[in-house]
CSV table of all heavy atoms in Angstrom, one decimal:
chain,number,residue,atom,x,y,z
D,8,VAL,N,-44.2,54.5,-41.7
D,8,VAL,CA,-44.3,55.9,-41.4
D,8,VAL,C,-44.9,56.6,-42.6
D,8,VAL,O,-44.3,56.6,-43.7
D,8,VAL,CB,-42.9,56.5,-41.1
D,8,VAL,CG1,-42.9,58.0,-40.9
D,8,VAL,CG2,-42.3,55.9,-39.8
D,9,THR,N,-46.0,57.3,-42.4
D,9,THR,CA,-46.7,57.9,-43.5
D,9,THR,C,-46.3,59.4,-43.7
D,9,THR,O,-46.6,60.0,-44.7
D,9,THR,CB,-48.2,57.9,-43.3
D,9,THR,OG1,-48.6,58.5,-42.1
D,9,THR,CG2,-48.7,56.4,-43.3
D,10,GLY,N,-45.6,60.0,-42.7
D,10,GLY,CA,-45.1,61.3,-42.9
D,10,GLY,C,-44.7,62.0,-41.6
D,10,GLY,O,-45.0,61.5,-40.5
D,11,VAL,N,-44.1,63.2,-41.8
D,11,VAL,CA,-43.7,64.0,-40.7
D,11,VAL,C,-44.9,65.0,-40.4
D,11,VAL,O,-45.3,65.7,-41.3
D,11,VAL,CB,-42.5,64.8,-41.0
D,11,VAL,CG1,-42.1,65.9,-39.9
D,11,VAL,CG2,-41.3,63.9,-41.2
D,12,VAL,N,-45.4,65.0,-39.2
D,12,VAL,CA,-46.5,65.9,-38.8
D,12,VAL,C,-46.1,67.2,-38.0
D,12,VAL,O,-46.8,68.1,-38.0
D,12,VAL,CB,-47.6,65.2,-38.1
D,12,VAL,CG1,-48.2,64.1,-39.0
D,12,VAL,CG2,-47.2,64.6,-36.8
D,13,ALA,N,-44.9,67.1,-37.4
D,13,ALA,CA,-44.4,68.2,-36.6
D,13,ALA,C,-42.9,68.1,-36.6
D,13,ALA,O,-42.3,67.1,-36.4
D,13,ALA,CB,-45.0,68.3,-35.2
D,14,ASP,N,-42.3,69.3,-36.7
D,14,ASP,CA,-40.8,69.4,-37.0
D,14,ASP,C,-40.3,70.5,-36.2
D,14,ASP,O,-40.7,71.7,-36.3
D,14,ASP,CB,-40.6,69.5,-38.5
D,14,ASP,CG,-39.1,69.7,-38.8
D,14,ASP,OD1,-38.2,69.6,-37.9
D,14,ASP,OD2,-38.8,70.0,-40.0
D,15,ASP,N,-39.3,70.3,-35.3
D,15,ASP,CA,-38.7,71.3,-34.5
D,15,ASP,C,-37.2,71.3,-34.7
D,15,ASP,O,-36.5,70.6,-33.9
D,15,ASP,CB,-39.1,71.2,-33.0
D,15,ASP,CG,-38.6,72.4,-32.2
D,15,ASP,OD1,-37.7,73.2,-32.7
D,15,ASP,OD2,-39.0,72.5,-31.0
D,16,PRO,N,-36.7,71.9,-35.7
D,16,PRO,CA,-35.2,71.9,-36.0
D,16,PRO,C,-34.4,72.4,-34.9
D,16,PRO,O,-33.2,72.0,-34.7
D,16,PRO,CB,-35.1,72.6,-37.3
D,16,PRO,CG,-36.3,73.5,-37.4
D,16,PRO,CD,-37.4,72.8,-36.7
D,17,ALA,N,-34.9,73.4,-34.2
D,17,ALA,CA,-34.1,74.1,-33.1
D,17,ALA,C,-33.8,73.1,-32.0
D,17,ALA,O,-32.8,73.2,-31.3
D,17,ALA,CB,-34.8,75.3,-32.6
D,18,ARG,N,-34.7,72.1,-31.8
D,18,ARG,CA,-34.6,71.2,-30.6
D,18,ARG,C,-34.4,69.8,-31.0
D,18,ARG,O,-34.4,68.9,-30.2
D,18,ARG,CB,-35.8,71.4,-29.7
D,18,ARG,CG,-35.9,72.8,-29.1
D,18,ARG,CD,-37.1,73.0,-28.3
D,18,ARG,NE,-37.1,74.3,-27.7
D,18,ARG,CZ,-37.5,75.4,-28.3
D,18,ARG,NH1,-37.9,75.4,-29.5
D,18,ARG,NH2,-37.5,76.6,-27.7
D,19,ASP,N,-34.3,69.6,-32.3
D,19,ASP,CA,-34.0,68.2,-32.9
D,19,ASP,C,-35.1,67.2,-32.5
D,19,ASP,O,-34.9,66.1,-32.2
D,19,ASP,CB,-32.7,67.7,-32.3
D,19,ASP,CG,-32.1,66.5,-33.1
D,19,ASP,OD1,-32.6,66.2,-34.2
D,19,ASP,OD2,-31.3,65.8,-32.5
D,20,LEU,N,-36.4,67.7,-32.8
D,20,LEU,CA,-37.5,66.8,-32.4
D,20,LEU,C,-38.4,66.6,-33.7
D,20,LEU,O,-38.6,67.5,-34.5
D,20,LEU,CB,-38.4,67.5,-31.3
D,20,LEU,CG,-37.7,67.7,-30.0
D,20,LEU,CD1,-38.6,68.5,-29.0
D,20,LEU,CD2,-37.2,66.4,-29.4
D,21,LEU,N,-39.1,65.5,-33.7
D,21,LEU,CA,-40.0,65.2,-34.8
D,21,LEU,C,-41.2,64.4,-34.2
D,21,LEU,O,-41.1,63.6,-33.2
D,21,LEU,CB,-39.4,64.2,-35.9
D,21,LEU,CG,-38.6,64.8,-37.0
D,21,LEU,CD1,-38.3,63.6,-38.0
D,21,LEU,CD2,-39.3,65.9,-37.7
D,22,LEU,N,-42.4,64.6,-34.8
D,22,LEU,CA,-43.5,63.8,-34.6
D,22,LEU,C,-43.9,63.2,-35.9
D,22,LEU,O,-44.0,63.9,-36.9
D,22,LEU,CB,-44.7,64.6,-34.0
D,22,LEU,CG,-44.7,65.1,-32.6
D,22,LEU,CD1,-46.0,65.8,-32.3
D,22,LEU,CD2,-44.5,63.9,-31.6
D,23,LEU,N,-44.1,61.9,-35.9
D,23,LEU,CA,-44.4,61.1,-37.1
D,23,LEU,C,-45.8,60.5,-37.1
D,23,LEU,O,-46.3,60.1,-36.0
D,23,LEU,CB,-43.4,60.0,-37.3
D,23,LEU,CG,-41.9,60.4,-37.3
D,23,LEU,CD1,-41.0,59.1,-37.3
D,23,LEU,CD2,-41.6,61.3,-38.5
D,24,ALA,N,-46.4,60.5,-38.3
D,24,ALA,CA,-47.7,59.8,-38.4
D,24,ALA,C,-47.4,58.3,-38.9
D,24,ALA,O,-46.5,58.1,-39.7
D,24,ALA,CB,-48.6,60.4,-39.5
D,25,VAL,N,-48.1,57.4,-38.3
D,25,VAL,CA,-47.8,56.0,-38.6
D,25,VAL,C,-49.0,55.2,-39.0
D,25,VAL,O,-50.1,55.5,-38.5
D,25,VAL,CB,-47.2,55.3,-37.3
D,25,VAL,CG1,-46.9,53.9,-37.5
D,25,VAL,CG2,-45.9,56.1,-36.9
D,26,ARG,N,-48.9,54.3,-39.9
D,26,ARG,CA,-50.0,53.4,-40.3
D,26,ARG,C,-49.7,52.0,-39.8
D,26,ARG,O,-48.7,51.4,-40.3
D,26,ARG,CB,-50.2,53.4,-41.8
D,26,ARG,CG,-51.4,52.6,-42.3
D,26,ARG,CD,-51.6,52.7,-43.8
D,26,ARG,NE,-50.5,52.1,-44.5
D,26,ARG,CZ,-49.6,52.8,-45.3
D,26,ARG,NH1,-49.8,54.1,-45.3
D,26,ARG,NH2,-48.7,52.2,-45.9
D,27,MET,N,-50.5,51.5,-38.9
D,27,MET,CA,-50.4,50.1,-38.4
D,27,MET,C,-50.9,49.1,-39.4
D,27,MET,O,-51.8,49.4,-40.2
D,27,MET,CB,-51.1,50.0,-37.1
D,27,MET,CG,-50.7,50.9,-36.0
D,27,MET,SD,-49.0,50.6,-35.5
D,27,MET,CE,-49.2,49.0,-34.7
D,28,PRO,N,-50.3,47.9,-39.5
D,28,PRO,CA,-50.8,46.9,-40.4
D,28,PRO,C,-52.2,46.5,-40.1
D,28,PRO,O,-52.6,46.5,-39.0
D,28,PRO,CB,-49.8,45.8,-40.2
D,28,PRO,CG,-49.2,46.0,-38.9
D,28,PRO,CD,-49.2,47.5,-38.6
D,29,ASP,N,-52.9,46.2,-41.2
D,29,ASP,CA,-54.3,45.7,-41.1
D,29,ASP,C,-55.3,46.7,-40.4
D,29,ASP,O,-56.3,46.3,-39.8
D,29,ASP,CB,-54.4,44.3,-40.3
D,29,ASP,CG,-53.5,43.3,-41.0
D,29,ASP,OD1,-53.5,43.3,-42.3
D,29,ASP,OD2,-52.9,42.5,-40.3
D,30,GLY,N,-54.9,48.0,-40.3
D,30,GLY,CA,-55.7,49.0,-39.7
D,30,GLY,C,-55.9,48.9,-38.2
D,30,GLY,O,-56.8,49.4,-37.7
D,31,THR,N,-55.0,48.1,-37.6
D,31,THR,CA,-55.1,48.0,-36.1
D,31,THR,C,-54.8,49.4,-35.4
D,31,THR,O,-54.1,50.2,-36.0
D,31,THR,CB,-54.1,46.9,-35.6
D,31,THR,OG1,-52.8,47.2,-36.0
D,31,THR,CG2,-54.6,45.6,-36.1
D,32,ALA,N,-55.2,49.5,-34.2
D,32,ALA,CA,-54.9,50.7,-33.5
D,32,ALA,C,-53.5,50.7,-33.0
D,32,ALA,O,-52.9,49.7,-32.7
D,32,ALA,CB,-55.9,50.8,-32.2
D,33,PRO,N,-52.8,51.9,-32.9
D,33,PRO,CA,-51.5,52.0,-32.4
D,33,PRO,C,-51.4,51.6,-30.9
D,33,PRO,O,-52.4,51.6,-30.2
D,33,PRO,CB,-51.1,53.4,-32.6
D,33,PRO,CG,-52.4,54.2,-32.6
D,33,PRO,CD,-53.4,53.2,-33.3
D,34,PRO,N,-50.3,51.2,-30.5
D,34,PRO,CA,-50.1,50.8,-29.1
D,34,PRO,C,-50.4,52.0,-28.2
D,34,PRO,O,-50.3,53.2,-28.6
D,34,PRO,CB,-48.6,50.4,-28.9
D,34,PRO,CG,-48.2,50.1,-30.3
D,34,PRO,CD,-49.0,51.0,-31.2
D,35,ARG,N,-50.8,51.7,-27.0
D,35,ARG,CA,-51.0,52.8,-26.0
D,35,ARG,C,-49.8,53.6,-25.8
D,35,ARG,O,-48.7,53.1,-25.6
D,35,ARG,CB,-51.5,52.2,-24.7
D,35,ARG,CG,-51.7,53.2,-23.6
D,35,ARG,CD,-52.1,52.5,-22.3
D,35,ARG,NE,-52.3,53.5,-21.2
D,35,ARG,CZ,-52.6,53.1,-19.9
D,35,ARG,NH1,-52.6,51.8,-19.6
D,35,ARG,NH2,-52.8,54.0,-19.0
């Protein structure tokens, strides 16, 4: 996890940025 990109404290939600190993694309 490289960081938090969106944060909604009122609704308890997060979006995270992720770095896959070896530069592969994230899953669908």
Side-chain angles (χ1 to χ4, degrees):
V8 175
T9 57
V11 174
V12 296
D14 176 8
D15 187 344
R18 296 174 178 84
D19 196 16
L20 299 175
L21 277 187
L22 288 180
L23 304 174
V25 179
R26 183 177 64 250
M27 300 294 293
D29 303 324
T31 55
R35 180 182 177 185

